[in-house]
Amino acid sequence: MSRLLLRNGRVVDPSQSLDQGLDLLLEDGHVAALGERLDAAPNTPEMDVSGLVVTPGLIDIHVHLREPGFEYKETIETGCRAAVAGGFTAVCAMPNTRPVNDDPSVTRFIRERAAAVGLCHVYPIAALSKGERGEELAEIGEMVREGAVAVSDDGRPVMNAQLMRRALEYAQSFGVRIAAHEEDVDLADGGSMHESEVSTRIGLKGIPSAAEEVMVARDILLAELTGGRLHLCHMSTRGSLDLVRMARRRGIDVTCEVTPHHFMLSDEELAASNYDTNWKMNPPLRSRDDVEAVLQGIYDGTVDAIVTDHAPHHADEKALDFADAPFGVAGLETAVSLALDRLVHGRVIGLGQLVRLMSTRPAEIFNLPGGTLKEGAPADLTLLDLRKRITVDPETFQSKSRNTPFAGIQLRGAPVATIVAGRVVWQAS
Amino acid sequence: MSNERLKSLRSKDLVGIAPLEPGEIQLILDTAEELLDIARRPIKKVPTLRGRTVVNLFMEPSTRTRFSFEVAEKRLSADTLNFSASGSSVSKGETLIDTARNLMAMAPDFIVMRHPNSGAPHRLASMVEASIINAGDGINEHPTQALLDAFTMRRHLGRLEGLAVTIAGDIRHSRVARSNAYLLGKMGATVRFAAPASLMPLHAETLGVEVHHRLESALEGADVVMMLRIQRERQGNMNFPSLREYFDFFGLTPERLELAKPEALVMHPGPINRGVEIDSAVADGSRSVILDQVTNGVAIRMAILYLLSGGHGEPTPAS
Amino acid sequence: MATKQNNSGLVQILDRAAMKRTIDRMAAEIVERDGGDVVLVGIHTRGVPLAERLARVIEASAGQKVRSGRLDITLYRDDVGPWRPAHEQPLLKETFLPDSIDGEVLYLVDDVLFTGRTVRAALDTLMDYGRPRAVRLAVLVDRGHRELPVAADVVGRKVPTSRDEDIRVRFAEIDGVDGVWIGRETADVE
C-alpha cells in the first residue's frame, strides 16, 4: 500500500469551496483524507508543503503532442515531461497528428504510449472528420470506446456547416463534446496575424476577427439547433466572448477556453518583435481591446477554462520567414506562471477561480477524472509556490521545442511539484 | 529633427521607410542628386565600391528592380552576384538562416533582397553583418521605389512638403503604396489612396492617408498621380469583377486627369498595363515622368549603397 | 559655419592683404605659363573660392573669360568605405565642369597641398570626365609631408610644418574672413 502525507499545505479546491491550511493523505492513488493534523499509519512518507499551495492536478484540455508523425517537434514522452514540469497532471491530445487520430488504432496507440511513459494522464481527442478533411465523419464511437474524451478537427476548421451539424448530433450518443477550432478559412485568406491597424502598419496579411466570430456564431446556432454540446477552442476576440454570453443567456450548452498568450499579448507586442515568428499563432494575437475582453471574460466567468494550445514546432520551421513559418506556441511550461502572475498577482481573479479554470472546469467540460481533492478522488495534485520568481528560459524546457514569445520575461508564481496517482512525477530543482 | 543636416544613416540596413527619420530621407535624396551626374559622363563609373561585393538575392521575379540595382552597383564598381530563387524549391523550405549562412560564406558587404513575404529582410538583417537593402518584401515595403518616386517628384516640382499625391490601384497588395505613404507623410505631403474598398487595406487611415473609394474625388487638385499596376491574376478573384470594369471606373484617362492640377505629374512604378489602370495617351503624355523614374531609380540606389558603405557602429566624435 | 577668430594656439601667417597678393601672383604665374585660355577647377571645399578668385584675376589681366569649375572627389577618395573609422560617409557635393574638358589645359586648384591623396583622387575623377591636354596643380599653401609622388606647378606659399600641426585657410565666401593660420587647435573648422 503506497502512501504520501502532505503536511501544512494551503489546500485550494474550488470543487469543495476550500481554501485553508490542511494535511492531505494520499493512499493507493487516491485522496484518502483531508484534515487538520492528520494521523497516518506508521512509516507513512511525509512531505512538508508549508508555504505552498496544494491544488487538484491541473488539466490542460488543449495540447498538441505531435506523436505519431511529428516526433521531431514533440513526442508523447517529451510532451508529458513538459506537462508535468508545467504543473499539469493531465493533458488532452489534439488529433492533428500523422496519421490523424481518426481511427481507434491511433487512439489506442496514444493511450498505450502515454501509459508506458507513465508521467501524466493523456486523454486523446478524436478527429471529427476522416483525415480532418472536413468531408465525412470519423468513427467517433469507436474512438470514444478506445478512450477518446472529445471530438475535434483542431487546427483545421470544419468549414462545412452540415458536417458540423451532424457531428454535434452524432456525438450525443457517446456523451462527448465537440471542440471547435473557429476559423473561416476563406476570410482568414492565408493571413498570418490579426487584421488591424497594426497589420496594415507592418505589412503582414491579416486574419480578421470576423473569421473567428462568424464560425463561433454558426456553431452556437448549430448547438442550439441540435442540442449538441459545444466547446469553443481558444477564444480570442471580444466578439467571440459576447457570442458566448448570448449563447449562455439562451441556455445553449456551450463552454469555451482561452490561452495565456491571448490574455498576455496583443498585436502591438507582435509588431515590436520585428517579425519574430515566435509571435505567430492561430488564432493570432489580437488587439489590446481583445486582450482586455479576454481578461474580462476570465473575470466574469464567461471563460470556462485556461488551456495552453501547446503547439511545439522545430526551430527550423520557426526559422522560416513570418508568412511561411507555422502557427503555434510551446505553452505547457509557461502557462501556470503566466496565469499566476497576470491573473492572480495582477488581481484579475482569486487563486480559487484560477484553479477552477485550470482544473475543476476542464475536468467537467470533457468529463475527465480529477479536478477535485474530495476523498476518493484521484491523487493528482499540483503544488504551487506563489512567491517564487522565475525568468522564462526556453533552453530549460522539457519540451523538444522552444517556440515561445515569453523568453526572458520575469514572472511571479510557479509550480514546484506535480503528483500523479499519488506519485511525485516532477519536482522543481 | 533640427536644421542640422544629417550626415549618415542610423542603421546598417535599409529595410523600410517606416524606421527612417525625415533627415535620413533628405540625405538620401540629396546624395542621389549628386550621383545623377554620373549617368551623363562619358565614363559612367566611379571606383567608390571597388572590391566590395553585393549579392542580389531575388526570391521573387523582378526584372526592373534587379536591373536598376545592378546598374547602380556596377556604376559604383561593386562586384555583383545574382542569386535568384523565385518560386523554386530553393525559396520554399530553405530557412532564412540557411540562406543567410550560405550568403555570408561569400562574404558580401551588401545583400539586396526581394522576398515574397513581409518581414523577411528585417529578419535577415538581424542575422548577418552585411547591410541588407530591401528591394521589396511581400506586401510590406519597397523603400527604394518610394525614394525614387519622391526624388522624381522633388526634381520636377521642387519640393515634397504640401504636395497632394494620389495613389490609385491595388493598394491592399502594394508595398509601393505603403512605402510611399510612409515617406510622403514624413516629408509633409498629403497622400490620397484611391481604390475600391476590396483593394484597400483595412484601416488604411492608420498610414496617415486620405481614403477614397472613387478615383475622381482623389484626383481633384492633385500634384502627382501615381497609378499602381493591377495584377491580372487578381481579377475575378473576389477582388474586383473584371479588368474592363476596373478601367471603366478606376483607369486613368485623359479626361479624369483633367481633375488634377494642370502641371500634375503622372507616375507609375511599372510595368504598365496599358488600358487596365492607365490609358496609353496618359502614360505616354507630356505629364508622364515614368521614364524619369527609371533613371532616377539608379541614382537613388547608388545613393543608398554609398551611404550604407561607411564603417558602422558608434559614430566617433568629430576628429 | 561659425568660425572662431581667436583659436588658442593658432598663429596667423597670411592676412587678408597678403593672401590677396599671393593669389595675384599665382594668377600671374598661370598666365605666364599657359596664357589665359585655361580651365580652373576648384576642389571642394576651399579650392572652389580659390579657383574663382584666380579666374577673376586672370580675366582682369588677360581680358578674356576664364572658365572655372568645381570638383567633388568624394567618390574617388581612398578613405571612404570600410576604412573610415567614423560611422559617417562624407557628404557628396556638386561637380560642375565645362561641357567638355577634352584637349583643355586644366588647373586643379586647392587651398592646401599635404599628403597628395586628394590630388590623386582629383586626377582620377577628372579622367572619367574627359581627356584634357594637360592637368596642372595650383595650391595656396604647400605644407609638405607628401605620401604620394605629387608636386604642385603653382604654389602660393611654401610653409614648413610638423605633421601634427594644422594649416587653416579661410575664405570670406565660406568662413567670413580671409587668411591663413598655423598651429594646433581643437575647434572644428574644416
Side-chain angles (χ1 to χ4, degrees):
Chain A
M1 180 170 277
S2 73
R3 288 202 194 86
L4 182 62
L5 181 59
L6 303 182
R7 287 280 187 207
N8 298 317
R10 173 185 166 194
V11 177
V12 177
D13 180 2
S15 74
Q16 332 176 44
S17 306
L18 205 60
D19 183 352
Q20 66 183 96
L22 292 171
D23 293 348
L24 194 71
L25 178 65
L26 310 178
E27 235 175 53
D28 281 344
H30 293 276
V31 176
L34 189 62
E36 294 180 40
R37 281 183 289 280
L38 286 182
D39 291 323
N43 301 325
T44 299
E46 291 194 9
M47 206 171 156
D48 180 9
V49 294
S50 49
L52 299 181
V53 171
V54 180
T55 74
L58 304 183
I59 301 170
D60 185 351
I61 59 174
H62 192 143
V63 167
H64 298 271
L65 291 180
R66 304 299 191 203
E67 188 180 352
F70 301 102
E71 290 83 358
Y72 66 96
K73 298 176 195 250
E74 194 82 284
T75 62
I76 290 171
E77 180 176 357
T78 57
C80 286
R81 272 198 250 135
V84 297
F88 294 100
T89 58
V91 297
C92 295
M94 282 297 178
N96 57 340
T97 48
R98 192 169 62 203
V100 168
N101 181 21
D102 62 355
D103 185 281
S105 65
V106 180
T107 314
R108 191 180 327 122
F109 167 80
I110 296 167
R111 300 271 302 182
E112 287 173 355
R113 188 77 200 96
V117 169
L119 284 171
C120 65
H121 307 288
V122 174
Y123 303 110
I125 294 176
L128 184 151
S129 66
K130 288 188 180 139
E132 286 200 339
R133 283 188 297 272
E135 290 162 5
E136 48 184 328
L137 287 177
E139 291 175 341
I140 293 168
E142 301 277 341
M143 289 187 279
V144 170
R145 195 159 59 195
E146 282 296 341
V149 296
V151 176
S152 179
D153 269 0
D154 186 58
R156 304 274 297 271
V158 179
M159 284 299 290
N160 185 323
Q162 177 72 342
L163 180 69
M164 180 55 98
R165 172 189 176 159
R166 294 299 181 225
L168 282 162
E169 290 168 340
Y170 184 71
Q172 292 175 43
S173 298
F174 307 98
V176 287
R177 213 172 259 279
I178 305 292
H181 169 120
E182 303 295 31
E183 178 188 6
D184 183 308
V185 291
D186 295 319
L187 279 174
D189 195 25
S192 52
M193 70 171 287
H194 176 52
E195 184 173 6
S196 65
E197 289 89 342
V198 180
S199 64
T200 293
R201 208 170 74 222
I202 69 172
L204 286 171
K205 245 185 123 180
I207 302 171
S209 294
E212 176 175 313
E213 291 156 1
V214 296
M215 295 292 270
V216 169
R218 183 198 77 174
D219 290 348
I220 285 172
L221 296 174
L222 291 175
E224 183 174 44
L225 173 70
T226 60
R229 304 171 68 203
L230 177 66
H231 177 69
L232 298 166
C233 295
H234 38 56
M235 295 288 89
S236 69
T237 76
R238 180 175 289 279
S240 291
L241 290 160
D242 283 343
L243 288 165
V244 172
R245 291 187 187 98
M246 179 209 76
R248 295 265 162 77
R249 281 198 303 276
R250 283 161 67 159
I252 303 166
D253 186 353
V254 172
T255 55
C256 75
E257 61 182 41
V258 300
T259 72
H261 41 274
H262 289 115
F263 68 65
M264 293 293 293
L265 303 172
S266 72
D267 55 356
E268 299 279 356
E269 284 80 37
L270 184 162
S273 81
N274 194 30
Y275 305 93
D276 185 341
T277 58
N278 283 319
W279 299 70
K280 183 178 177 183
M281 52 216 60
N282 194 7
L285 297 174
R286 300 288 186 183
S287 69
R288 290 213 165 126
D289 179 64
D290 292 312
V291 172
E292 280 307 307
V294 168
L295 289 168
Q296 175 66 29
I298 289 170
Y299 168 76
D300 70 16
T302 306
V303 170
D304 294 280
I306 291 170
V307 303
T308 64
D309 192 6
H310 180 72
H313 289 293
H314 196 274
D316 290 347
E317 297 169 304
K318 281 291 191 179
L320 291 165
D321 60 84
F322 206 89
D324 284 345
F327 293 101
V329 181
L332 280 169
E333 292 168 79
T334 52
V336 171
S337 289
L338 292 167
L340 286 171
D341 188 277
R342 180 69 188 91
L343 302 180
V344 176
H345 292 304
R347 296 180 180 279
V348 177
I349 51 173
L351 186 57
Q353 180 62 8
L354 182 70
V355 175
R356 216 179 121 68
L357 288 163
M358 298 188 78
S359 178
T360 320
R361 284 294 289 149
E364 290 167 4
I365 291 166
F366 286 164
N367 199 20
L368 308 174
T372 177
L373 294 174
K374 286 179 182 159
E375 282 177 25
D380 297 342
L381 293 80
T382 303
L383 305 187
L384 305 173
D385 181 345
L386 300 190
R387 288 178 299 274
K388 184 171 179 177
R389 286 176 190 277
I390 63 143
T391 302
V392 174
D393 178 6
E395 293 310 310
T396 65
F397 282 2
Q398 298 296 312
S399 168
K400 267 196 177 183
S401 293
R402 307 273 176 268
N403 50 307
T404 173
F406 296 112
I409 77 161
Q410 298 186 349
L411 299 169
R412 191 150 58 108
V416 292
T418 306
I419 297 171
V420 175
R423 191 166 64 91
V424 179
V425 292
W426 174 79
Q427 240 179 323
S429 48
Chain B
M1 185 116 322
S2 68
N3 293 329
E4 186 74 17
R5 264 190 78 188
L6 268 188
K7 283 181 137 183
S8 63
L9 303 178
R10 292 172 305 152
S11 164
K12 79 172 171 71
D13 311 296
L14 179 73
V15 293
I17 301 296
L20 294 183
E21 287 178 5
E24 295 179 286
I25 294 166
Q26 181 97 32
L27 174 65
I28 295 168
L29 300 183
D30 290 349
T31 303
E33 199 74 54
E34 307 304 338
L35 291 163
L36 262 183
D37 178 52
I38 292 171
R40 294 193 284 258
R41 303 180 348 185
I43 294 177
K44 299 175 179 58
K45 197 179 186 77
V46 294
T48 318
L49 295 185
R50 201 162 37 93
R52 309 190 78 189
T53 305
V54 186
V55 171
N56 296 312
L57 174 66
F58 279 70
M59 314 291 270
E60 190 184 76
S62 157
T63 310
R64 288 153 182 263
T65 304
R66 193 169 57 78
F67 249 66
S68 178
F69 268 107
E70 265 195 81
V71 172
E73 291 152 11
K74 295 197 153 104
R75 290 207 171 142
L76 288 169
S77 301
D79 296 318
T80 63
L81 300 169
N82 289 319
F83 186 93
S84 300
S86 57
S88 71
S89 53
V90 186
S91 69
K92 283 286 166 194
E94 186 178 55
T95 66
L96 282 172
I97 285 177
D98 285 334
T99 308
R101 283 186 188 140
N102 269 294
L103 292 177
M104 289 322 283
M106 297 179 244
D109 300 284
F110 300 88
I111 299 172
V112 175
M113 183 184 196
R114 153 96 33 123
H115 199 283
N117 294 330
S118 306
H122 304 67
R123 297 303 296 159
L124 193 64
S126 65
M127 297 171 188
V128 301
E129 278 175 41
S131 290
I132 304 294
I133 299 171
N134 183 357
D137 66 319
I139 57 168
N140 185 29
E141 284 230 46
H142 193 350
T144 58
Q145 178 71 42
L147 285 160
L148 77 88
D149 289 339
F151 186 55
T152 305
M153 290 176 212
R154 202 179 74 163
R155 285 185 59 78
H156 281 274
L157 302 173
R159 67 199 161 98
L160 294 175
E161 196 170 356
L163 294 182
V165 179
T166 300
I167 303 178
D170 184 359
I171 311 276
R172 183 193 285 267
H173 301 97
S174 175
R175 50 197 175 210
V176 174
R178 299 166 44 77
S179 284
N180 263 293
Y182 282 130
L183 191 153
L184 293 167
K186 284 172 200 270
M187 302 310 277
T190 305
V191 177
R192 305 164 177 174
F193 278 176
S198 58
L199 293 177
M200 188 75 80
L202 204 60
H203 309 297
E205 321 76 53
T206 296
L207 299 172
V209 302
E210 287 176 16
V211 174
H212 294 256
H213 292 146
R214 296 297 293 254
L215 185 56
E216 288 79 4
S217 65
L219 285 175
E220 254 166 63
D223 296 285
V224 178
V225 183
M226 186 185 300
M227 302 306 290
L228 302 175
R229 180 179 168 78
I230 289 291
Q231 308 277 347
R232 287 169 186 277
E233 55 271 24
R234 294 213 199 279
Q235 75 167 319
N237 191 13
M238 299 189 210
N239 293 294
F240 59 95
S242 66
L243 295 176
R244 193 180 72 86
E245 174 157 321
Y246 184 84
F247 184 71
D248 203 7
F249 289 94
F250 289 93
L252 187 62
T253 57
E255 299 74 45
R256 287 208 176 101
L257 186 56
E258 290 301 308
L259 295 166
K261 284 195 183 149
E263 68 282 11
L265 304 179
V266 173
M267 302 178 71
H268 193 299
I272 295 176
N273 278 324
R274 291 171 186 268
V276 175
E277 69 267 355
I278 190 164
D279 192 297
S280 280
V282 176
D284 305 330
S286 60
R287 297 188 210 166
S288 167
V289 294
I290 295 172
L291 294 176
D292 284 13
Q293 289 175 270
V294 178
T295 307
N296 292 339
V298 175
I300 280 291
R301 289 168 178 129
M302 287 172 76
I304 289 157
L305 287 162
Y306 171 70
L307 290 169
L308 291 178
S309 68
H312 293 287
E314 288 303 301
T316 49
S319 55
Chain C
M1 181 178 295
T3 303
K4 286 186 183 157
Q5 297 285 341
N6 296 310
N7 296 304
S8 58
L10 282 187
V11 176
Q12 191 165 26
I13 52 173
L14 288 182
D15 62 10
R16 187 168 164 277
M19 194 158 138
K20 180 176 184 314
R21 281 196 304 278
T22 308
I23 293 171
D24 287 350
R25 189 170 43 71
M26 289 171 70
E29 272 186 52
I30 291 170
V31 173
E32 188 179 333
R33 196 170 176 137
D34 291 303
D37 191 16
V38 292
V39 179
L40 302 181
V41 176
I43 299 173
H44 280 291
T45 304
R46 286 176 184 74
V48 173
L50 179 58
E52 282 161 4
R53 287 191 195 188
L54 286 168
R56 281 202 301 274
V57 175
I58 295 171
E59 278 172 8
S61 68
Q64 68 182 98
K65 179 81 184 145
V66 175
R67 287 161 299 161
S68 64
R70 299 178 286 283
L71 195 66
D72 180 42
I73 59 152
T74 310
L75 296 168
Y76 292 78
R77 281 166 65 151
D78 59 11
D79 62 348
V80 295
W83 299 278
R84 208 170 163 76
H87 182 68
E88 298 171 359
Q89 285 285 69
L91 288 177
L92 299 187
K93 292 172 183 141
E94 185 196 19
T95 290
F96 171 81
L97 292 172
D99 283 344
S100 169
I101 57 170
D102 291 352
E104 302 287 351
V105 173
L106 192 148
Y107 273 78
L108 280 174
V109 179
D110 206 359
D111 57 342
V112 179
L113 178 59
F114 185 19
T115 62
R117 289 177 188 273
T118 298
V119 175
R120 194 283 304 162
L123 282 170
D124 284 350
T125 311
L126 272 185
M127 295 310 159
D128 284 353
Y129 279 88
R131 192 171 186 282
R133 181 158 62 83
V135 179
R136 309 199 199 289
L137 176 62
V139 299
L140 185 65
V141 175
D142 179 352
R143 60 167 294 188
H145 303 287
R146 216 75 77 238
E147 293 169 5
L148 294 175
V150 169
D153 301 282
V154 176
V155 177
R157 179 96 173 241
K158 270 191 159 40
V159 180
T161 58
S162 66
R163 217 174 185 306
D164 55 350
E165 270 177 321
D166 289 316
I167 290 281
R168 292 288 170 221
V169 177
R170 285 168 192 159
F171 286 93
E173 296 90 321
I174 294 171
D175 311 298
V177 64
D178 276 351
V180 179
W181 285 261
I182 185 169
R184 294 181 182 86
E185 67 165 356
T186 49
D188 68 56
V189 178
E190 273 190 6

